[in-house]
Amino acid sequence: MASGVAAVWVPVSDMERAVAFYRDTLGLTVKDQSEDWSEIDANGLMIGLNGRESASPSSGGGAVVTFQPDGSIEDELEAIRSKGADVQGEISEHPWGKIVPFKDSEGNDLQFYAPPTH
């Protein structure tokens, strides 16, 4: 059985561009960086950027990395938009919270999530 998530790996085709996105657009800390592998600290969860020559943007679905916004989801949406993030829609509200989807520099699916306010 799994006891937790050790890391999340995402494929990237341009390591410099991907590291810049996670560092500069999302404001996360780069712990290690090389040509083939970089580690990003997402508040204790390690995101591994896995360099692959064959990586290409995909619109076919798959895993989604969901981030907690530092401030309000509305403020964070504006912040990443102003930095050129590929936002995939507007904030949607659900009984379980709010989400807004976007893509990283390599075409991987990401989103911000905010729990419901009661």
Side-chain angles (χ1 to χ4, degrees):
M1 284 194 57
S3 62
V5 177
V8 174
W9 291 15
V10 294
V12 303
S13 56
D14 184 321
M15 187 62 70
E16 290 293 325
R17 179 178 64 202
V19 166
F21 178 86
Y22 284 86
R23 180 191 61 227
D24 302 337
T25 303
L26 295 181
L28 300 174
T29 302
V30 178
K31 298 301 249 180
D32 189 29
Q33 182 177 349
S34 72
E35 186 176 311
D36 297 325
W37 178 258
S38 295
E39 293 180 4
I40 309 296
D41 181 1
N43 195 26
L45 174 66
M46 193 270 289
I47 298 175
L49 303 181
N50 188 12
R52 299 183 189 172
E53 290 181 21
S54 62
S56 62
S58 170
S59 61
V64 176
V65 180
T66 301
F67 295 95
Q68 300 169 328
D70 274 339
S72 73
I73 196 169
E74 293 82 6
D75 290 345
E76 295 305 324
L77 171 59
E78 287 309 310
I80 65 170
R81 268 195 179 133
S82 73
K83 294 178 181 178
D86 183 8
V87 178
Q88 298 290 295
E90 296 300 319
I91 297 169
S92 59
E93 294 192 47
H94 308 273
W96 41 264
K98 297 179 186 179
I99 60 168
V100 62
F102 58 100
K103 292 193 179 281
D104 71 6
S105 60
E106 309 306 296
N108 295 301
D109 292 317
L110 308 176
Q111 65 184 13
F112 279 127
Y113 164 76
T117 55
H118 297 276

